[in-house]
Every structure is written in C-alpha cells, then in structure tokens.
Amino acid sequence: MPPRHKVGAMTDQAPAADSGGPDIPGKPTSASRTTLSHIMTHNDTNLLGTVHGGVIMKLVDDAAGAVAGRHSGGPAVTASMDEMAFLEPVRVGDLVHVKAQVNWTGRTSMEVGVRVLAERWNESAPATQVGSAYLVFAAVDADGKPRRVPPVLPETERDKRRYQEAQIRRTHRLARRRAIMDLREKRAAEGFED
C-alpha cells in the first residue's frame, strides 16, 4: 500500500506541493537555534508541589515550534513528540531555559531537538539539565498542505552527531509505523475489527 501523507504523519514520502521547483538553499543550524526562558510559579505546580510535566511539555513545544517556523520560513505544525525525558523535578522559583535547534530535515518535515535546563532564580549556580525531547514538525502552506523546507546544514561536530542520530530516530519511527500498519492490515484480513 503506498504511503499517504497527513499533516500529523511522520513521513516525507508524499510529493510536496512544490516538489518540482528549484532546490531550496540550506540554512545552518545556528540560523534558527533559540532559547525560551520562563520562571516557574505556583500556577505551574502539580499536586506534589513540583512543576507539572505538561507545563514543561508546552514550553518544549513552544520553543520547538519557533525553531521550526524560523527554519522553514513559515508555519510549521507539531507532527509528533517522542523521547520526552524528565531527568529532574522542576520547582517553583526555578528559571527554566528551553534550548531548541533543528537536528535534521526531510523534504517537508524537521526534527527539532530540545534540552531543558533549570536554575534557581536567585542563585548564580550553573543551570542543570532537567529534561530533553525530540519533536517532528511538518511545514505547511496557507491551505495546510505540506511545503518544502530548506535542508539543515550542521556546523559543528555536535551538530553532525545530532543529525546522524536524528536519521536513526526517523528510521525507527517509520519502521514502527510500518509494522503497526502491517499488523492492522493483517488483523483486518483475518476478520478482526478493532
């Protein structure tokens, strides 16, 4: 069965609206890298008195969305979030820094890597990493159709490593999705309805 492309799908296999156009010049990783900082208050806490994971996830999505929009030069929507890791609790009074950059680009999608750091608002101790995530964004045009994105140009050895790791994650995402679809088709052919 040929792959279909939906805005939420994690594939670049469908033709983009302007796939016959000229090549888009690449952009260096640093061109769209950004940091979003936010101080945590009592409004951000969960029942345990630490910052709610959903608050951190929203900051992650906000920073990643800004990076994806900057890199692609227009609107980009979240297609998936994976490997969200919470390493340490975040507390009221922590100044949270969400650092994001494009790690990899396909034809219409981008993987954005995000690191979350926290420091006490009134101390000069260095910030510590409290979380990380990888998100896939799809660039869309005014009609919500996929549009091409510039290739990302890794600049440093760290950027090159992140690019290679992102390719591995993409391969795993697509393989997992393919295996699930194959299983569903097999079960449907055997007469099982989900």
Side-chain angles (χ1 to χ4, degrees), residues 16-119:
D18 61 344
S19 60
D23 288 337
I24 299 173
K27 287 186 180 179
T29 306
S30 62
S32 58
R33 187 179 290 140
T34 195
T35 300
L36 173 82
S37 296
H38 189 80
I39 193 159
M40 298 291 106
T41 68
H42 288 286
N43 293 333
D44 301 317
T45 60
N46 58 26
L47 297 175
L48 299 175
T50 57
V51 172
H52 196 288
V55 170
I56 301 298
M57 291 173 75
K58 182 177 184 325
L59 293 173
V60 164
D61 192 43
D62 288 346
V67 166
R70 281 181 174 184
H71 182 83
S72 69
V77 295
T78 309
S80 72
M81 175 187 266
D82 61 17
E83 296 187 41
M84 180 73 211
F86 297 100
L87 307 173
E88 298 283 336
V90 177
R91 305 188 186 294
V92 170
D94 281 354
L95 181 58
V96 172
H97 308 286
V98 184
K99 298 178 176 284
Q101 75 172 47
V102 173
N103 289 337
W104 175 90
T105 52
R107 199 168 45 192
T108 62
S109 67
M110 303 154 275
E111 184 197 89
V112 179
V114 181
R115 287 183 350 152
V116 183
L117 303 131
E119 60 181 308

Side-chain angles (χ1 to χ4, degrees), residues 146-166:
R147 63 181 175 81
R148 290 179 59 198
V149 299
V152 68
L153 305 174
E155 298 171 278
T156 66
E157 286 305 314
R158 178 180 284 179
D159 293 340
K160 291 173 186 171
R161 175 186 54 79
R162 288 176 176 165
Y163 184 91
Q164 291 169 335
E165 290 173 357

